[in-house]
Amino acid sequence: MATLRDVAELANVSVTTASRVLNGADESHPVSSRVRASVVSAAATLGYRRSAAGRALKNGHNNLIGVVASDILDPYFAEMIRGIEIAAAECGYVTVLANANRDPYQERTKFQVLREHGASGIVFCGSDIEGSPGTADLAREVNRAVGEGTRVVSLAPRGFVSTQIVVDNEATAYSLTKHMLGLGYRDIVFAGGLPGLTAAELRIQGYQRAMYEFDQLPRVVGRDGMSQKTGREATQQLLRVPNTPDSIICTNDETAIGSLAAIWQAGLRIPDDIAIAGIGGTATGRVFDLTTIELPLAELGRLAVEYIVRKSDAPPTAPACTLREGRTTQAVRDPV
Amino acid sequence: MATLRDVAELANVSVTTASRVLNGADESHPVSSRVRASVVSAAATLGYRRSAAGRALKNGHNNLIGVVASDILDPYFAEMIRGIEIAAAECGYVTVLANANRDPYQERTKFQVLREHGASGIVFCGSDIEGSPGTADLAREVNRAVGEGTRVVSLAPRGFVSTQIVVDNEATAYSLTKHMLGLGYRDIVFAGGLPGLTAAELRIQGYQRAMYEFDQLPRVVGRDGMSQKTGREATQQLLRVPNTPDSIICTNDETAIGSLAAIWQAGLRIPDDIAIAGIGGTATGRVFDLTTIELPLAELGRLAVEYIVRKSDAPPTAPACTLREGRTTQAVRDPV
DNA sequence: TTGTACGCGTTATCAT
DNA sequence: ATGATAACGCGTACAA
């Protein structure tokens, strides 16, 4: 890699001048257009690229934004990451991705590595599991980082203290359940989740609150995952026994997609035989015309980046969620 | 951030010693266990983390692997990225993600940024569009980088010269089409693609070759995308006019999922009324029991990382693809 | 308008 | 077994 010095030598100027030409948005140090041109041309012929390492060492900070994602394959998080990456690129920042595979230990390790690389801010995409081992360790690390000026943002509820830009999970599930009840559904089952996973638990609570208000008995199944597979298996289970519900609210769109797959494969019709709703608003949900709560996932990512880059601002609040009525639910004429 | 010097001072040793204790896998420089302990304890109390910037500056290289992805939301690429990230983490490397949004200009810009950050290697996830503007620019940049020792790997066919770890797209589509013909399907339509997108064009060619060999007329629709939306819209179009085919081969699993959505929503049965097959082997495909060619996507990512990290090896070759017979196709008793 | 010189955190080399 | 020092590439305060 050609260095600034190489460029300066080829252009017959000092490194200072070369630096000013190539990086200086600095108006206080004008450079003659002749010198400027020769530096630019030298840089071009040498294929000069500034060294992020040297720059970071000098400035004490890096244009890096770290991401600790629970699962990059889940469109829910992928959408957030995409929002982060786009906003970061617009601000001249680079996104460093670390996939934690839903493992608290990996989260801690990767958080540390991101810090070693001098990330200006670190964003957590994904909730945590209450009381899981390693949680305390992670909390300590996060505290230290925040104390040293690193901006830490969580885009899902988290046990450690950090800036949170989080949708109201309880309220989304509550309002979605109310909506389903309003359509006339009564025997509504909630599918998906993980014991202790905060975001999931909050959604279950919202669902339960709405059901109790309506004097209906809540029923939660498939509390062993947040994936399409979870939705599929939980639904197959439901269809195998009596008491098939009239509708299923899924913990997220992924689970709902799995549920759709199971129902279609069983030869039933949606929404006539059984209705499905999800939470998320991901692209696959739209393709299936899924009734869901649209969460501003990419927007959350963008807000996180803005909070990190414009260091003075107060933490932003998450924008509102909106219900999207698809074709996997309908008004029920004859509530049982 | 506490520096090595801080640690050394607290432990009353020189920075050299501190460095040796904290980073030295160096057996040739033993350290007394007493000193070692005091350094370790000092580092712990200060929360010392080594600086990647300083280290990169000194070593001249970074433990970074850059990824230029066409679309992180596409599970096809997300799976590759996941493979990269896991393998990289195992080798002590960090993954830097750049999403190019299928734009050649963004690819070039982000490639350069990745180089600025001293990435040891850069992986391209996604094919390119032949003759698109910016392609030549990118090729020049890549050449320069390779000449300077950066390892560049493409996990899809690419116009520029680089190490390629690529599945045989023509062959996969050919063998899948042969399989469908063998099942008894005759009026097989191919859906999806983008004009000039090399990987997509190769799949179309493989499909056409198989059809011609069987004296069947190939028919390609929806050549305006690679997404679920593409598959859905192309299929809706097909169902709207006469000459409904007996089966659809989709350019990838995503397109196939969209196709499934359209067919189910139209009230038709799969595979009885119409059969669907995809290419990819992604998780969503499995949930829908999609007949597909399983490509070793995560494995490609892993191979790319190994090639980058173990700098001496010859470029690895892509592992084989395997047909997975799902429930979206079946043997046809009565070929028309 | 342009140049000189220093220091950021780390490690390799050489010295003790 | 431990320490002093130089150098990596960059940006900037200061000098000219």
Side-chain angles (χ1 to χ4, degrees):
Chain A
M1 281 283 279
T3 101
L4 194 55
R5 203 175 150 141
D6 300 331
V7 175
E9 279 178 12
L10 181 58
N12 272 316
V13 298
S14 73
V15 287
T16 312
T17 305
S19 173
R20 282 206 270 260
V21 171
L22 296 173
N23 297 301
D26 194 348
E27 294 301 319
S28 66
H29 281 276
V31 184
S32 79
S33 62
R34 206 174 47 77
V35 170
R36 172 177 297 275
S38 93
V39 169
V40 168
S41 117
T45 57
L46 262 49
Y48 168 77
R49 296 263 99 206
R50 63 197 183 185
S51 150
R55 173 177 274 244
L57 201 50
K58 180 65 189 164
N59 298 346
H61 64 93
N62 230 337
N63 55 336
L64 291 180
I65 291 184
V67 176
V68 180
S70 290
D71 178 8
I72 191 204
L73 271 178
D74 188 329
Y76 190 90
F77 302 125
E79 184 87 57
M80 286 177 176
I81 297 171
R82 188 158 166 276
I84 292 169
E85 207 277 343
I86 289 175
E90 282 172 5
C91 303
Y93 279 63
V94 178
T95 305
V96 186
L97 174 69
N99 205 30
N101 304 300
R102 296 192 185 275
D103 172 358
Y105 291 109
Q106 284 193 46
E107 282 188 329
R108 193 180 73 114
T109 308
K110 307 218 164 173
F111 180 79
Q112 290 173 335
V113 171
L114 260 27
R115 244 157 66 72
E116 286 181 7
H117 281 269
S120 307
I122 297 175
V123 186
F124 282 87
C125 296
S127 189
D128 58 0
I129 293 184
E130 223 180 303
S132 71
T135 302
D137 261 8
L138 179 58
R140 202 174 322 116
E141 287 293 328
V142 169
N143 276 334
R144 173 127 49 191
V146 172
E148 287 172 3
T150 305
R151 296 231 156 181
V152 178
V153 184
S154 302
L155 299 186
R158 276 282 173 176
F160 53 73
V161 287
S162 72
T163 301
Q164 302 218 350
I165 312 180
V166 180
V167 299
D168 186 338
N169 285 287
E170 204 269 354
T172 54
Y174 174 78
S175 70
L176 178 58
T177 309
K178 289 285 268 193
H179 175 74
M180 299 283 283
L181 290 162
L183 286 176
Y185 295 106
R186 287 297 173 268
D187 187 5
I188 309 175
V189 165
F190 189 97
L194 274 175
L197 187 71
T198 315
E201 300 288 23
L202 287 169
R203 290 179 188 176
I204 291 177
Q205 285 168 27
Y207 154 77
Q208 289 171 332
R209 180 159 64 94
M211 291 292 274
Y212 285 133
E213 280 184 10
F214 232 84
D215 285 325
Q216 295 295 316
L217 200 63
R219 193 169 142 212
V220 179
V221 301
R223 224 167 133 172
D224 58 350
M226 306 285 287
S227 67
Q228 294 179 347
K229 190 154 162 278
T230 305
R232 176 174 140 146
E233 287 171 1
T235 305
Q236 285 169 338
Q237 189 75 23
L238 280 174
L239 299 180
R240 209 172 293 136
V241 297
N243 291 329
T244 303
D246 57 22
S247 56
I248 307 176
I249 292 180
C250 295
T251 191
N252 61 14
D253 281 9
E254 289 296 286
T255 308
I257 299 300
S259 200
L260 294 183
I263 292 166
W264 271 317
Q265 286 176 346
L268 299 178
R269 287 160 313 151
I270 298 170
D272 304 270
D273 295 320
I274 188 165
I276 302 290
I279 297 177
T282 57
T284 301
R286 276 194 294 283
V287 164
F288 283 95
D289 273 323
L290 180 69
T291 293
T292 190
I293 304 272
E294 292 204 322
L295 310 183
L297 301 171
E299 183 62 16
L300 293 179
R302 165 173 297 281
L303 290 171
V305 171
E306 281 179 4
Y307 173 68
I308 289 169
V309 174
R310 328 202 186 298
K311 302 192 191 299
S312 52
D313 288 358
T317 51
C321 310
T322 59
L323 182 102
R324 186 161 51 74
E325 179 80 49
R327 283 192 274 170
T328 58
T329 54
Q330 65 188 348
V332 179
R333 279 146 220 270
D334 230 356
V336 187
Chain B
M1 282 281 281
T3 98
L4 196 54
R5 206 176 147 134
D6 301 331
V7 175
E9 279 176 13
L10 181 58
N12 273 316
V13 298
S14 71
V15 286
T16 311
T17 304
S19 173
R20 284 206 270 259
V21 170
L22 296 172
N23 295 300
D26 195 350
E27 294 301 320
S28 66
H29 281 276
V31 183
S32 78
S33 61
R34 206 174 48 77
V35 170
R36 171 175 298 273
S38 94
V39 169
V40 167
S41 116
T45 56
L46 262 50
Y48 168 78
R49 295 263 101 203
R50 63 194 182 188
S51 151
R55 177 176 270 244
L57 196 54
K58 179 64 187 164
N59 296 346
H61 64 92
N62 230 336
N63 56 335
L64 291 179
I65 290 184
V67 176
V68 181
S70 290
D71 179 9
I72 191 202
L73 271 178
D74 188 327
Y76 190 91
F77 302 125
E79 183 86 57
M80 285 177 176
I81 297 170
R82 188 157 167 277
I84 292 170
E85 207 277 344
I86 290 174
E90 282 173 5
C91 303
Y93 279 63
V94 177
T95 304
V96 186
L97 174 68
N99 204 29
N101 303 300
R102 295 191 187 276
D103 172 359
Y105 291 109
Q106 284 193 46
E107 281 188 329
R108 194 181 72 114
T109 307
K110 307 217 163 172
F111 180 78
Q112 289 173 337
V113 171
L114 259 27
R115 243 155 68 70
E116 285 180 8
H117 282 270
S120 307
I122 297 176
V123 186
F124 282 88
C125 295
S127 190
D128 57 0
I129 292 185
E130 223 181 302
S132 70
T135 302
D137 261 8
L138 179 59
R140 202 175 320 115
E141 286 293 328
V142 170
N143 276 334
R144 175 131 41 196
V146 171
E148 286 172 3
T150 305
R151 296 234 157 179
V152 178
V153 183
S154 302
L155 298 186
R158 276 281 173 175
F160 54 72
V161 287
S162 73
T163 302
Q164 303 217 349
I165 311 179
V166 180
V167 299
D168 186 339
N169 285 285
E170 204 270 353
T172 54
Y174 174 78
S175 70
L176 178 57
T177 309
K178 290 285 270 192
H179 176 74
M180 298 285 282
L181 289 162
L183 286 176
Y185 295 106
R186 288 298 173 268
D187 187 5
I188 309 175
V189 165
F190 190 97
L194 275 174
L197 188 72
T198 315
E201 299 288 24
L202 287 169
R203 290 178 188 177
I204 291 178
Q205 287 169 25
Y207 155 77
Q208 288 171 332
R209 180 158 65 94
M211 291 293 273
Y212 285 133
E213 279 184 11
F214 233 84
D215 286 324
Q216 295 295 316
L217 201 63
R219 196 169 140 211
V220 179
V221 301
R223 225 168 131 172
D224 59 350
M226 306 286 287
S227 67
Q228 294 180 346
K229 191 154 163 275
T230 306
R232 177 174 140 146
E233 287 171 2
T235 305
Q236 286 169 338
Q237 188 76 21
L238 280 174
L239 299 179
R240 211 172 292 135
V241 297
N243 291 329
T244 303
D246 57 23
S247 56
I248 306 176
I249 293 179
C250 295
T251 191
N252 61 14
D253 281 8
E254 289 296 286
T255 309
I257 299 300
S259 199
L260 293 183
I263 291 167
W264 270 318
Q265 285 177 345
L268 299 177
R269 287 160 312 152
I270 298 170
D272 304 270
D273 295 319
I274 188 165
I276 301 290
I279 296 176
T282 57
T284 302
R286 275 194 292 283
V287 164
F288 283 95
D289 271 325
L290 180 69
T291 293
T292 190
I293 304 272
E294 292 204 321
L295 308 183
L297 301 171
E299 182 63 16
L300 294 179
R302 165 173 296 279
L303 289 171
V305 170
E306 281 180 3
Y307 173 68
I308 290 169
V309 173
R310 328 202 185 296
K311 300 190 191 301
S312 53
D313 288 358
T317 52
C321 310
T322 59
L323 182 100
R324 186 161 49 75
E325 180 80 46
R327 282 192 273 170
T328 59
T329 54
Q330 64 187 348
V332 181
R333 279 144 219 271
D334 232 356
V336 187

